[in-house]
Amino acid sequence: DSGVTQTPKHLITATGQRVTLRCSPRSGDLSVYWYQQSLDQGLQFLIQYYNGEERAKGNILERFSAQQFPDLHSELNLSSLELGDSALYFCASSGDETQYFGPGTRLLVL
Amino acid sequence: EDQVTQSPEALRLQEGESSSLNCSYTVSGLRGLFWYRQDPGKGPEFLFTLYSAGEEKEKERLKATLTKKESFLHITAPKPEDSATYLCAVQSGNTPLVFGKGTRLSVIA
């Protein structure tokens, strides 16, 4: 158990819909990262927050957004969903350079 | 641009048959090289961080080594429970981690 929690575990929705994924980091970690993992793409970095502020951005679509709240939990919002957004979404947290990953949310867009 | 290439893509071993996984990388200035283990449908599990060429770290049947261009994950006398995908990632400066596509290891009893 990494100490990082993610909800929900599974999400099934329809194209065009909007969903919110939630992540609670390890106790004391200020950085939260979001990744997308699909079968053919491997782990792709989306975005990083540090103590409430956006720190780095990767290949995150404009339809996706994230935020980190004062209690350090983070949410990833995915809107206007497309079939290709079906993937595993992971959150990770770190206190130094080592990132610890949560169990992931499996999103299926039908 | 940082790049990571892992080989082989897949590896099938008999129980007890030792082998090595390779991670070749290109970075402007290595801050750290990371190995993770990932079971199907689960989150990556942290194994090792290596910082400089010549460094080695061990954990049970796994040993990670680092040179200026590549890292190896040596698996000694593997067991079926070592079956997983092994991911390598690099970080340079304050940039995000860049992951390789992984090596899918199967250990057959």
Side-chain angles (χ1 to χ4, degrees):
Chain A
D1 185 355
S2 67
V4 178
T5 61
Q6 290 186 248
T7 56
K9 287 187 179 178
H10 303 278
L11 205 45
I12 301 175
T13 188
T15 54
Q17 295 298 305
R18 172 189 168 95
V19 296
T20 297
L21 312 185
R22 182 188 169 105
C23 168
S24 293
R26 296 188 319 154
S27 176
D29 285 355
L30 299 180
S31 280
V32 169
Y33 310 78
W34 286 97
Y35 291 85
Q36 180 191 59
Q37 187 176 44
S38 54
L39 281 174
D40 57 344
Q41 289 294 322
L43 264 172
Q44 298 291 314
F45 169 72
L46 296 177
I47 197 164
Q48 177 198 356
Y49 277 82
Y50 177 84
N51 203 20
E53 300 287 329
E54 182 184 304
R55 174 66 65 91
K57 224 170 186 177
N59 298 322
I60 187 166
L61 299 172
E62 285 192 13
R63 301 183 285 108
F64 296 1
S65 65
Q67 58 185 135
Q68 187 178 25
F69 294 87
D71 67 352
L72 300 177
H73 91 271
S74 179
E75 293 182 356
L76 179 67
N77 300 294
L78 314 177
S79 61
S80 303
L81 284 167
E82 302 175 359
L83 295 177
D85 298 327
S86 296
L88 273 165
Y89 291 84
F90 290 106
C91 164
S93 76
S94 71
D96 51 26
E97 63 274 346
T98 300
Q99 294 182 26
Y100 295 89
F101 283 77
T105 293
R106 183 178 293 277
L107 174 65
L108 180 59
V109 182
L110 300 176
Chain B
E1 184 181 328
D2 299 346
Q3 290 190 332
V4 177
T5 303
Q6 292 188 246
S7 61
E9 287 186 17
L11 182 62
R12 186 181 172 100
L13 299 173
Q14 293 293 320
E15 184 173 4
E17 179 187 2
S18 302
S19 188
S20 296
L21 313 183
N22 177 264
C23 170
S24 296
Y25 64 91
T26 305
V27 295
S28 54
L30 183 68
R31 182 176 175 188
L33 183 140
F34 305 83
W35 281 99
Y36 288 85
R37 168 195 169 125
Q38 186 175 25
D39 292 302
K42 304 287 180 68
E45 175 191 344
F46 171 71
L47 294 174
F48 305 108
T49 307
L50 301 168
Y51 296 100
S52 57
E55 190 174 0
E56 299 182 351
K57 288 194 177 171
E58 286 188 67
K59 180 181 178 180
E60 296 181 356
R61 295 176 293 281
L62 300 177
K63 178 179 176 180
T65 61
L66 182 65
T67 72
K68 289 187 177 179
K69 294 183 179 181
E70 57 192 350
S71 176
F72 292 93
L73 185 65
H74 307 277
I75 303 177
T76 303
K79 298 183 178 182
E81 53 262 41
D82 294 322
S83 297
T85 295
Y86 291 85
L87 300 170
C88 171
V90 295
Q91 186 179 34
S92 62
N94 288 320
T95 59
L97 289 185
V98 174
F99 280 84
K101 295 196 171 183
T103 293
R104 195 168 59 253
L105 174 67
S106 299
V107 182
I108 312 302

